[in-house]
Amino acid sequence: MQKAVIMDDQAIRRALTRIAHEIIERNKGIDDVVLVGIKTRGEFLAKRLAERIENIEGRAVKVGDIDITLYRDDLKVKTENLEPELKGTDIPDITNQKVILVDDVLFTGRTVRAAMDAVMDLGRPGSIQLAVLIDRGHRELPIRADFVGKNVPTSNTEIITASLAEVDGSDEVSIHEK
């Protein structure tokens, strides 16, 4: 199977705008809301959501990013005896805040579990919500997204790739076989 584009830059833009509106509606505004992007692509999606929310609400929402490297349950497998590459964490105070984790693709749920552990080590949020650009199914943990750009049912042999201009030079989401 060749690579098939399932979201182009316009579809990504529309999905993020819709998610921004849903975040505002569900949280009755942006008081006590903190967007936390899971590095790497979630960081840039959180910043884009923050821009959209500010355009809608007329004021800025708090935003930060979190590195979950040391919280991953597959760290030993991924690093193969190499030192893990840490990317740093920069988030505002989350105590009693509505933390919205932001990521590109939700698959097994393990990345989100690691992000929740990292957030809990930094403070005690009032609640944690999850916003993802793509939900592809195949959860291994009881985790679901509160805000989803697009649900894409996949097989275990398919790979979803989310590309963002800030990292990859262009915006698109594609699917292809392993």
Side-chain angles (χ1 to χ4, degrees):
M1 179 177 152
Q2 298 285 8
K3 174 178 102 167
V5 175
I6 55 177
M7 288 181 87
D8 61 11
D9 59 337
Q10 292 180 4
I12 292 171
R13 189 183 75 251
R14 285 191 299 268
L16 291 175
T17 300
R18 180 175 40 77
I19 290 171
H21 282 282
E22 290 174 358
I23 287 170
I24 295 165
E25 184 177 344
R26 171 143 338 142
N27 292 287
K28 298 175 178 58
I30 57 169
D31 294 334
D32 304 322
V33 169
V34 179
L35 299 177
V36 177
I38 301 172
K39 295 216 176 190
T40 297
R41 286 167 185 80
E43 171 186 5
F44 298 107
L45 291 172
K47 289 176 181 174
R48 291 184 190 188
L49 283 170
E51 290 172 9
R52 283 165 175 75
I53 290 170
E54 184 172 359
N55 289 338
I56 297 163
E57 289 290 286
R59 60 193 176 102
V61 64
K62 294 171 272 191
V63 64
D65 52 76
I66 196 160
D67 180 3
I68 62 156
T69 303
L70 296 178
Y71 293 87
R72 296 185 62 91
D73 60 6
D74 62 351
L75 182 61
K76 289 181 180 173
V77 174
K78 288 230 181 238
T79 59
E80 296 180 23
N81 298 325
L82 301 173
E83 288 294 318
E85 180 184 341
L86 302 179
K87 299 174 185 165
T89 293
D90 178 24
I91 65 172
D93 181 27
I94 58 168
T95 304
N96 296 321
Q97 301 291 296
K98 298 170 188 170
V99 171
I100 301 174
L101 294 172
V102 181
D103 204 9
D104 55 352
V105 179
L106 176 57
F107 183 28
T108 62
R110 292 182 180 277
T111 296
V112 175
R113 187 226 27 101
M116 288 191 298
D117 287 348
V119 164
M120 296 303 285
D121 279 353
L122 296 171
R124 189 178 194 288
S127 66
I128 299 177
Q129 300 168 35
L130 176 62
V132 297
L133 184 59
I134 299 290
D135 183 346
R136 64 167 291 182
H138 302 284
R139 222 69 81 237
E140 294 174 1
L141 301 171
I143 290 173
R144 67 164 178 77
D146 299 281
F147 312 100
V148 178
K150 185 175 181 100
N151 284 295
V152 181
T154 61
S155 73
N156 281 326
T157 63
E158 293 173 314
I159 296 173
I160 298 276
T161 303
S163 300
L164 297 178
E166 297 91 338
V167 180
D168 309 296
S170 65
D171 286 348
E172 76 174 22
V173 177
S174 60
I175 187 170
H176 64 277
E177 290 289 329
K178 280 186 183 173

